[in-house]
Amino acid sequence: MNLLADWLGIDGFAWPWLLLALPLPWLIHALLPPRASQVPALLVPWGERLRNVASGGVLEVSPRGFPWLAMLAWCLLCVAAARPQQLGPPIAPPQVGRDMMLAVDLSASMGEQDMELGGRLVDRLTAAKAVLADFLDRRVGDRIGLVVFGDRAFALTPLTLDRDSVRQQLDASVVGLAGRATALGDAIALSTKRLQQQRSEQRARKEHVLIVLTDGVNTAGVLEPAKAAQIARDAGVRIHAIAFGGEGGGALSVFGFSLPTGGDEVDEAGLQKIAQLTGGRFFRARDTEALAGIYAEIDALEPVQRQGQVVRPKIERYPWPLGLALAVGMLALLLRRRA
């Protein structure tokens, strides 16, 4: 088999046992008795057939009349049926991807314009969108879902490899879309539920990560963040918590000056507890640059590409012998008709 594969310039056959059919026509031709002709002998007046007429009208097929073109077509068909294959160039795919949920706060305080982006003052949500868009560009191979929360938590996109869909849904999100309060516990619980919906064999192979971005404290919802974090821990979900915003709850911009509004401060202690409980990290970002650095750090903590086993794809080459078999068979048929 290896010699035949080398002679044909391929790397092997998928079904090499079908090559055992190669000598089948020769065996049939050698073992079966001569076939008697059913044509009246007087219709063939030349010498060879006259001798057959004299011998009782039995016409034997001569070995010299063996259909060699037909046999060549048969050999090519057997080779095509064995599925000759060539090995493609080596490929090292990622070994394991991640299922990652992004939970983004859309409460009223995310509308505070106390962040700088591209030399201009923008609100916190706009700054977060810009940083998250860059983060999504680097997560090739992960399945990513998006949850937003305010008075309640809502899943905007399921876990998907289509990062463009996640980016579009994030861009379409606005402050107050889910309400003006902060249901942090419900957002963690909903994200965990989405991650748990995978089949058990997938959970065994994949790593589950939740990244929470908020600028306030839990003021709404059914579950307390600590209880939701316990549920996430039991489900094998690692939470990275990001506290985003300035020292206070927000600021009101008047003629270029920022005045405190007396809102709630970020619950750093609570977020830190959530991260530690699930084996994740807590981060504090007070400006856009710090937020970008945090997502870059998370990207390093949760790498996408992990070198897998190098594989060489098998390329099917059966169309070539199959096409040649059809061409040779047609040629044999035409020559027989002309004879």
Side-chain angles (χ1 to χ4, degrees):
M1 299 298 177
N2 292 334
L3 292 176
L4 179 60
D6 293 339
W7 181 69
L8 293 174
I10 59 176
D11 296 302
F13 297 93
W15 300 331
W17 53 271
L18 286 175
L19 295 175
L20 296 175
L22 281 171
L24 187 60
W26 278 281
L27 293 175
I28 294 175
H29 180 73
L31 297 177
L32 290 182
R35 180 175 58 88
S37 174
Q38 302 299 323
V39 181
L42 293 177
L43 295 180
V44 283
W46 49 87
E48 180 70 18
R49 296 196 174 184
L50 285 176
R51 285 192 295 271
N52 291 324
V53 172
S55 64
V58 177
L59 179 62
E60 294 185 359
V61 178
S62 172
R64 293 190 298 272
F66 196 78
W68 295 105
L69 280 178
M71 285 307 305
L72 177 59
W74 171 257
C75 293
L76 290 171
L77 278 177
C78 290
V79 171
R83 289 177 57 196
Q85 297 174 331
Q86 277 187 329
L87 295 178
I91 299 175
Q95 186 178 14
V96 179
R98 282 177 173 76
D99 287 342
M100 179 179 295
M101 294 296 297
L102 304 177
V104 180
D105 189 351
L106 296 184
S107 62
S109 57
M110 287 293 288
E112 299 295 342
Q113 294 189 355
D114 57 355
M115 294 294 157
E116 187 175 342
L117 181 64
R120 61 188 182 91
L121 202 62
V122 298
D123 60 77
R124 297 174 182 175
L125 181 59
T126 300
K129 287 180 180 180
V131 175
L132 278 170
D134 181 67
F135 178 74
L136 288 172
D137 289 338
R138 298 194 295 267
R139 304 307 300 186
V140 179
D142 281 351
R143 296 198 308 168
I144 299 178
L146 177 63
V147 168
V148 297
F149 60 97
D151 294 338
R152 297 174 59 188
F154 298 93
L156 293 189
T157 61
L159 289 168
T160 176
L161 290 170
D162 187 0
R163 292 169 294 127
D164 289 336
S165 295
V166 180
R167 187 181 294 106
Q168 290 172 3
Q169 291 293 335
L170 180 63
D171 289 340
S173 301
V174 295
V175 173
L177 178 66
R180 303 181 65 82
T182 306
L184 177 59
D186 287 4
I188 295 174
L190 178 59
S191 300
T192 301
K193 180 180 179 181
R194 292 289 181 174
L195 291 169
Q196 279 186 304
Q197 287 177 345
Q198 310 309 309
R199 294 178 298 182
S200 59
E201 58 267 24
Q202 289 179 329
R203 292 200 298 270
R205 295 197 305 266
K206 289 180 177 292
E207 296 185 15
H208 292 68
V209 179
L210 168 61
I211 302 176
V212 178
L213 173 70
T214 182
D215 68 341
V217 297
N218 187 74
T219 57
V222 177
L223 278 177
E224 289 295 324
K227 180 61 177 179
Q230 292 176 3
I231 296 174
R233 179 198 59 191
D234 295 339
V237 178
R238 183 167 55 254
I239 301 177
H240 298 300
I242 303 175
F244 188 40
E247 294 295 340
L252 179 65
S253 179
V254 179
F255 301 111
F257 296 97
S258 296
L259 301 177
T261 58
D264 295 329
E265 296 183 357
V266 181
D267 185 12
E268 296 186 22
L271 293 174
Q272 189 169 7
K273 182 179 179 181
I274 290 171
Q276 290 177 348
L277 187 63
T278 59
R281 293 277 303 276
F282 167 74
F283 302 93
R284 183 68 168 95
R286 291 179 172 82
D287 53 40
T288 307
E289 184 177 355
L291 183 62
I294 289 170
Y295 275 103
E297 187 173 349
I298 293 176
D299 190 45
L301 288 172
E302 307 287 351
V304 177
Q305 299 288 342
R306 289 191 287 173
Q307 194 71 12
Q309 183 180 1
V310 176
V311 296
R312 297 184 66 183
K314 294 180 179 180
I315 305 173
E316 299 286 347
R317 294 303 187 195
Y318 70 86
W320 292 103
L322 180 60
L324 288 174
L326 294 176
V328 173
M330 292 296 295
L331 179 60
L333 184 61
L334 290 176
L335 292 178
R336 183 178 179 183
R337 288 184 175 180
R338 290 185 61 181

